[in-house]
């Protein structure tokens, strides 16, 4: 029994260290992959695993007379959940959602701490110790809080009273509903049925699966299979056209959208709204390929009414590029960021 417990603690300890190294930023969060389609179950299982590890570690410590006080158990477990939500999950979840989960976790921890009368007493003890100043140390701590808390509150109120010099918020629909069809260079494209003529397999047929198969990491960053090189003269299928799209991109788009397609081009910050960051999961990854084709062709001035006030400087590229060039540059943008174009639901 002892051996099993110790082995469990060691395995759990290793998992914990891997996690903490990830938190420190020395390993990317994808080190241990989230299995696509099973992510929520996997996260729950991992959390349950860590709960078991903590229980085990704290049991072993207590047995050896090194028990961790209840108060710190609760606080550190809650901090652990917050770190887990922030550093384990990718693509990252927004702060507002993390705040909700964090609050729910806090309620959970609180219920766990106050579940039994004795536990609750033990949990409260350190707080009451400070309030009652039972030792000189606690007294010093109490004095410190008495001074620090008003200063912190003062800081918050000071900040909230500062006049705000930012320009007023402008509400604007970034991704308006697209038209049913769009006419580019005299040809009508029905957005629901058109497809990128260059997203083809080795036989020259439209093949979404084929192009996606060459990308091994979908959710963050891009990892192409080592044999997929668009610069190879023998490259097959759509890869041949990725290179041509790249040339068009670096002749026309990188000034605004950036060398890394992250929206930080040379001229980017002269504009408001700033050019789209294609590496962000909120742009290309969310859009159908024909939507992107339409946006590139028509630019900022071609946006529908809901995108008032049309402040976007995105040029209408149909005036400068051929239809084929637009399809190729769109292909390149998807290839470079490694995202799937969204399919029609
Ligand atoms: C003068 C700067 C500029 C240049 C050059 C430029 N863009 Fe843009 N682009 C923008 C701005 C600004 C936006 C974001 C505002 C908006 O939604 O229109 C944008 C948005 C886009 C979007 C929409 C993304 C989305 O999430 O809806 C696509 C696609 C795009 N650009 C592609 C291109 C391509 C392809 C080229 C080159 C052929 C290009 N852009 C060149 C400024 C530029």
């Amino acid at each position: 029994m002892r051996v099993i417990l110790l082995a469990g603690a060691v395995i759990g300890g290793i998992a914990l260290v891997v996690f903490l190294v990830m938190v420190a930023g020395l390993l990317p969060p994808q080190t241990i992959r989230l299995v696509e389609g099973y992510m929520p179950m996997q996260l729950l299982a991992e959390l349950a695993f860590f709960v078991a590890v903590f229980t085990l570690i704290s049991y072993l410590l207590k047995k050896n007379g090194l028990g961790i006080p209840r108060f710190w158990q609760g606080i550190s477990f809650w901090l652990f959940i917050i770190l887990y939500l922030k550093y384990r999950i990718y693509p990252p979840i927004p702060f507002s959602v993390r705040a909700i989960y964090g609050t729910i976790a806090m309620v959970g921890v609180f219920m766990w701490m106050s579940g039994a009368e004795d536990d609750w007493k033990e949990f409260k003890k350190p707080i009451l110790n400070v309030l009652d100043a039972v030792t000189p140390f606690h007294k010093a701590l109490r004095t410190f809080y008495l001074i620090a808390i008003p200063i912190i509150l003062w800081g918050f109120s000071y900040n909230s009273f500062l006049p705000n010099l930012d320009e007023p918020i402008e509400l604007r629909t970034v991704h308006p509903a697209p038209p049913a069809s769009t006419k580019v260079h005299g040809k009508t494209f029905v957005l629901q049925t058109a497809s990128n003529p260059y997203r083809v397999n080795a036989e020259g047929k439209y093949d979404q699966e084929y192009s996606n198969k060459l990308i091994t990491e979908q959710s963050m960053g891009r990892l192409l299979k080592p044999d997929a090189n668009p610069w190879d003269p023998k490259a097959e299928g759509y890869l041949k056209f990725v290179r041509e799209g790249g040339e068009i991109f670096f002749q026309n788009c990188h000034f605004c959208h950036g060398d890394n397609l992250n929206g930080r081009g040379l001229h980017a910050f002269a504009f408001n709204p700033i050019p789209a960051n294609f590496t962000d999961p909120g742009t290309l990854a969310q859009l159908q390929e024909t939507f992107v084709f339409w946006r590139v062709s028509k630019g900022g001035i071609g946006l529908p009414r809901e995108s008032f006030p049309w402040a976007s400087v995105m040029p209408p590229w149909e005036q400068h590029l051929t239809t084929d060039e637009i399809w190729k540059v769109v292909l390149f943008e998807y290839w470079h960021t490694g995202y799937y174009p969204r399919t029609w639901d």
Side-chain angles (χ1 to χ4, degrees), residues 172 175 252-253 256-257 273 275 278 283 295 312 314 317 333:
R172 150 177 188 275
H175 295 128
N252 301 286
C253 323
C256 291
H257 290 285
F278 300 132
T283 65
R295 281 292 278 114
S312 161
M314 170 69 181
W317 286 100
E333 286 175 352

Side-chain angles (χ1 to χ4, degrees), residues 17-90:
V17 169
V18 171
F19 175 75
L20 291 177
V21 171
M22 246 152 60
V23 169
L26 299 175
L27 281 176
Q30 318 69 321
T31 309
I32 300 168
R33 290 287 188 85
L34 295 173
V35 186
E36 243 179 271
Y38 293 92
M39 185 167 150
M41 294 321 290
Q42 188 179 350
L43 295 182
L44 282 180
E46 282 183 14
L47 278 176
F49 170 77
F50 277 121
V51 169
V53 171
F54 285 137
T55 319
L56 190 60
I57 293 179
S58 111
Y59 170 77
L60 289 178
L61 283 178
K62 200 165 171 186
K63 244 182 123 187
N64 294 301
L66 293 165
I68 310 165
R70 205 93 187 125
F71 180 75
W72 293 112
Q73 276 180 9
I75 301 262
S76 51
F77 184 60
W78 183 62
L79 283 180
F80 173 80
I81 292 187
I82 301 233
L83 289 179
Y84 185 89
L85 292 174
K86 175 144 169 65
Y87 292 101
R88 172 68 180 116
I89 299 176
Y90 65 89

Side-chain angles (χ1 to χ4, degrees), residues 64-172:
N64 294 301
L66 293 165
I68 310 165
R70 205 93 187 125
F71 180 75
W72 293 112
Q73 276 180 9
I75 301 262
S76 51
F77 184 60
W78 183 62
L79 283 180
F80 173 80
I81 292 187
I82 301 233
L83 289 179
Y84 185 89
L85 292 174
K86 175 144 169 65
Y87 292 101
R88 172 68 180 116
I89 299 176
Y90 65 89
I93 38 180
F95 176 77
S96 51
V97 178
R98 258 188 294 131
I100 298 174
Y101 290 170
T103 315
I104 294 174
M106 188 159 74
V107 173
V109 168
F110 189 76
M111 279 161 69
W112 163 42
M113 286 294 143
S114 57
E117 191 58 35
D118 289 345
D119 287 350
W120 177 231
K121 265 199 198 122
E122 216 190 307
F123 179 78
K124 281 190 306 192
K125 213 165 73 191
I127 306 175
L128 293 178
N129 283 350
V130 172
L131 288 177
D132 294 342
V134 284
T135 64
F137 169 71
H138 286 111
K139 189 163 183 185
L141 215 53
R142 186 175 72 175
T143 318
F144 169 76
Y145 285 142
L146 269 177
I147 299 169
I149 291 175
I151 291 183
I152 292 170
L153 290 180
W154 169 81
F156 277 122
S157 2
Y158 177 79
N159 256 340
S160 65
F161 275 105
L162 274 184
N164 184 359
L165 301 177
D166 292 346
E167 44 189 307
I169 326 177
E170 209 167 67
L171 294 178
R172 150 177 188 275

